[in-house]
Amino acid sequence: QVQLVESGGGLVQAGGSLRLSCAASGRIFSSYAMGWFRQAPGKEREFVVAISWSGGSTYYADSVKGRFTISRDNAKNTVYLQMNSLKPEDTAVYYCAAKLYRYGSSWSEYDYWGQGTQVTVSS
């Protein structure tokens, strides 16, 4: 079992920044690839970004490329999502997720999920 807890969400104006954190506990964190997904009201859960177990490889959705940065600290069992140049369309609940070994971009591939943190970007 892996338990995930997100934090860092909030209300920010367009053009601003937020940093999300996802703290993991349970099984060996460094064995898991991590992903961030988001879900806006009335929309399906959407892939944002993923990072390999080592942190050496990342994959971004086109919609956030160049604005968001994922990183991880395996010593702290934490993955981060730095979000810059935020837009109103980034408003959503953001979830972190974990899967063994290789990362993916489909939510169905992930085995463990956090409870989500709300990000609201005002225009």
Side-chain angles (χ1 to χ4, degrees):
Q1 276 289 74
V2 175
Q3 293 80 41
L4 303 173
V5 179
E6 301 98 335
S7 61
L11 173 63
V12 64
Q13 288 188 334
S17 299
L18 282 174
R19 189 194 196 202
L20 305 184
S21 299
C22 174
S25 61
R27 291 183 179 268
I28 301 173
F29 178 70
S30 58
S31 298
Y32 287 80
M34 300 297 294
W36 285 96
F37 292 77
R38 65 188 182 186
Q39 189 165 19
K43 294 188 176 182
E44 293 190 354
R45 193 165 296 192
E46 173 189 30
F47 170 76
V48 177
V49 60
I51 189 167
S52 63
W53 63 271
S54 68
S57 181
T58 57
Y59 178 57
Y60 292 86
D62 287 343
S63 59
V64 305
K65 202 173 294 182
R67 300 188 298 123
F68 290 11
T69 303
I70 190 172
S71 61
R72 67 187 295 162
D73 185 339
N74 286 345
K76 295 183 178 180
N77 286 3
T78 302
V79 63
Y80 304 97
L81 181 62
Q82 178 67 43
M83 304 186 296
N84 298 329
S85 302
L86 282 162
K87 304 175 181 179
E89 51 263 43
D90 294 319
T91 295
V93 177
Y94 283 71
Y95 299 90
C96 70
K99 68 182 295 291
L100 276 173
Y101 309 128
R102 185 171 176 82
Y103 60 69
S105 60
S106 171
W107 65 267
S108 62
E109 299 179 68
Y110 287 77
D111 302 306
Y112 302 101
W113 292 84
Q115 83 288 351
T117 186
Q118 177 70 47
V119 171
T120 303
V121 185
S122 63
S123 57

mmCIF file of all heavy atoms in Angstrom, residues 11-16 86-91 120-123:
data_model
loop_
_atom_site.group_PDB
_atom_site.id
_atom_site.type_symbol
_atom_site.label_atom_id
_atom_site.label_comp_id
_atom_site.label_asym_id
_atom_site.label_seq_id
_atom_site.Cartn_x
_atom_site.Cartn_y
_atom_site.Cartn_z
ATOM 1 N N LEU A 11 -6.008 29.542 -4.172
ATOM 2 C CA LEU A 11 -6.538 30.518 -5.129
ATOM 3 C C LEU A 11 -5.399 31.445 -5.548
ATOM 4 O O LEU A 11 -4.683 31.997 -4.698
ATOM 5 C CB LEU A 11 -7.665 31.318 -4.486
ATOM 6 C CG LEU A 11 -8.231 32.494 -5.294
ATOM 7 C CD1 LEU A 11 -8.872 31.992 -6.577
ATOM 8 C CD2 LEU A 11 -9.216 33.281 -4.442
ATOM 9 N N VAL A 12 -5.244 31.621 -6.844
ATOM 10 C CA VAL A 12 -4.177 32.476 -7.370
ATOM 11 C C VAL A 12 -4.694 33.207 -8.595
ATOM 12 O O VAL A 12 -5.588 32.705 -9.294
ATOM 13 C CB VAL A 12 -2.931 31.620 -7.699
ATOM 14 C CG1 VAL A 12 -3.224 30.628 -8.812
ATOM 15 C CG2 VAL A 12 -1.731 32.486 -8.016
ATOM 16 N N GLN A 13 -4.154 34.378 -8.836
ATOM 17 C CA GLN A 13 -4.539 35.131 -10.023
ATOM 18 C C GLN A 13 -3.823 34.573 -11.255
ATOM 19 O O GLN A 13 -2.742 33.967 -11.149
ATOM 20 C CB GLN A 13 -4.185 36.599 -9.857
ATOM 21 C CG GLN A 13 -5.075 37.332 -8.867
ATOM 22 C CD GLN A 13 -4.826 38.831 -8.862
ATOM 23 O OE1 GLN A 13 -3.742 39.298 -9.193
ATOM 24 N NE2 GLN A 13 -5.841 39.592 -8.484
ATOM 25 N N ALA A 14 -4.411 34.795 -12.400
ATOM 26 C CA ALA A 14 -3.791 34.380 -13.656
ATOM 27 C C ALA A 14 -2.394 34.973 -13.760
ATOM 28 O O ALA A 14 -2.173 36.144 -13.428
ATOM 29 C CB ALA A 14 -4.651 34.820 -14.831
ATOM 30 N N GLY A 15 -1.463 34.158 -14.200
ATOM 31 C CA GLY A 15 -0.073 34.567 -14.286
ATOM 32 C C GLY A 15 0.739 34.239 -13.056
ATOM 33 O O GLY A 15 1.977 34.332 -13.071
ATOM 34 N N GLY A 16 0.058 33.844 -11.990
ATOM 35 C CA GLY A 16 0.740 33.523 -10.748
ATOM 36 C C GLY A 16 1.274 32.110 -10.717
ATOM 37 O O GLY A 16 1.217 31.370 -11.712
ATOM 38 N N LEU A 86 0.122 30.510 -14.466
ATOM 39 C CA LEU A 86 -1.165 29.819 -14.374
ATOM 40 C C LEU A 86 -2.247 30.548 -15.147
ATOM 41 O O LEU A 86 -2.261 31.787 -15.228
ATOM 42 C CB LEU A 86 -1.565 29.651 -12.916
ATOM 43 C CG LEU A 86 -0.824 28.517 -12.202
ATOM 44 C CD1 LEU A 86 -0.920 28.683 -10.689
ATOM 45 C CD2 LEU A 86 -1.375 27.163 -12.615
ATOM 46 N N LYS A 87 -3.148 29.764 -15.708
ATOM 47 C CA LYS A 87 -4.255 30.271 -16.505
ATOM 48 C C LYS A 87 -5.568 29.836 -15.872
ATOM 49 O O LYS A 87 -5.608 28.809 -15.177
ATOM 50 C CB LYS A 87 -4.174 29.706 -17.922
ATOM 51 C CG LYS A 87 -2.863 29.967 -18.629
ATOM 52 C CD LYS A 87 -2.830 29.261 -19.980
ATOM 53 C CE LYS A 87 -1.508 29.487 -20.697
ATOM 54 N NZ LYS A 87 -1.472 28.780 -22.008
ATOM 55 N N PRO A 88 -6.645 30.543 -16.137
ATOM 56 C CA PRO A 88 -7.949 30.120 -15.596
ATOM 57 C C PRO A 88 -8.303 28.683 -15.982
ATOM 58 O O PRO A 88 -8.934 27.975 -15.187
ATOM 59 C CB PRO A 88 -8.917 31.130 -16.212
ATOM 60 C CG PRO A 88 -8.095 32.360 -16.387
ATOM 61 C CD PRO A 88 -6.729 31.862 -16.783
ATOM 62 N N GLU A 89 -7.883 28.249 -17.148
ATOM 63 C CA GLU A 89 -8.190 26.882 -17.581
ATOM 64 C C GLU A 89 -7.393 25.822 -16.823
ATOM 65 O O GLU A 89 -7.641 24.621 -16.996
ATOM 66 C CB GLU A 89 -7.971 26.718 -19.088
ATOM 67 C CG GLU A 89 -6.632 27.188 -19.594
ATOM 68 C CD GLU A 89 -6.689 28.608 -20.166
ATOM 69 O OE1 GLU A 89 -7.337 29.476 -19.541
ATOM 70 O OE2 GLU A 89 -6.067 28.838 -21.220
ATOM 71 N N ASP A 90 -6.461 26.245 -15.984
ATOM 72 C CA ASP A 90 -5.758 25.296 -15.109
ATOM 73 C C ASP A 90 -6.552 24.983 -13.841
ATOM 74 O O ASP A 90 -6.163 24.113 -13.061
ATOM 75 C CB ASP A 90 -4.394 25.859 -14.700
ATOM 76 C CG ASP A 90 -3.435 26.000 -15.864
ATOM 77 O OD1 ASP A 90 -3.386 25.090 -16.714
ATOM 78 O OD2 ASP A 90 -2.725 27.029 -15.920
ATOM 79 N N THR A 91 -7.663 25.683 -13.650
ATOM 80 C CA THR A 91 -8.505 25.455 -12.480
ATOM 81 C C THR A 91 -9.038 24.028 -12.470
ATOM 82 O O THR A 91 -9.654 23.578 -13.441
ATOM 83 C CB THR A 91 -9.668 26.451 -12.453
ATOM 84 O OG1 THR A 91 -9.146 27.776 -12.294
ATOM 85 C CG2 THR A 91 -10.626 26.140 -11.315
ATOM 86 N N THR A 120 -7.440 26.969 -7.953
ATOM 87 C CA THR A 120 -8.353 27.891 -8.612
ATOM 88 C C THR A 120 -7.573 29.096 -9.106
ATOM 89 O O THR A 120 -6.876 29.744 -8.322
ATOM 90 C CB THR A 120 -9.465 28.348 -7.661
ATOM 91 O OG1 THR A 120 -10.163 27.199 -7.162
ATOM 92 C CG2 THR A 120 -10.450 29.252 -8.391
ATOM 93 N N VAL A 121 -7.688 29.361 -10.406
ATOM 94 C CA VAL A 121 -6.984 30.476 -11.023
ATOM 95 C C VAL A 121 -8.009 31.494 -11.483
ATOM 96 O O VAL A 121 -8.850 31.186 -12.338
ATOM 97 C CB VAL A 121 -6.113 30.013 -12.198
ATOM 98 C CG1 VAL A 121 -5.306 31.192 -12.747
ATOM 99 C CG2 VAL A 121 -5.197 28.876 -11.777
ATOM 100 N N SER A 122 -7.950 32.677 -10.929
ATOM 101 C CA SER A 122 -8.909 33.722 -11.283
ATOM 102 C C SER A 122 -8.358 34.576 -12.418
ATOM 103 O O SER A 122 -7.155 34.796 -12.531
ATOM 104 C CB SER A 122 -9.206 34.583 -10.067
ATOM 105 O OG SER A 122 -8.037 35.255 -9.637
ATOM 106 N N SER A 123 -9.283 35.072 -13.226
ATOM 107 C CA SER A 123 -8.866 35.880 -14.386
ATOM 108 C C SER A 123 -8.773 37.345 -14.023
ATOM 109 O O SER A 123 -9.184 37.777 -12.967
ATOM 110 C CB SER A 123 -9.849 35.675 -15.530
ATOM 111 O OG SER A 123 -11.139 35.992 -15.108
#
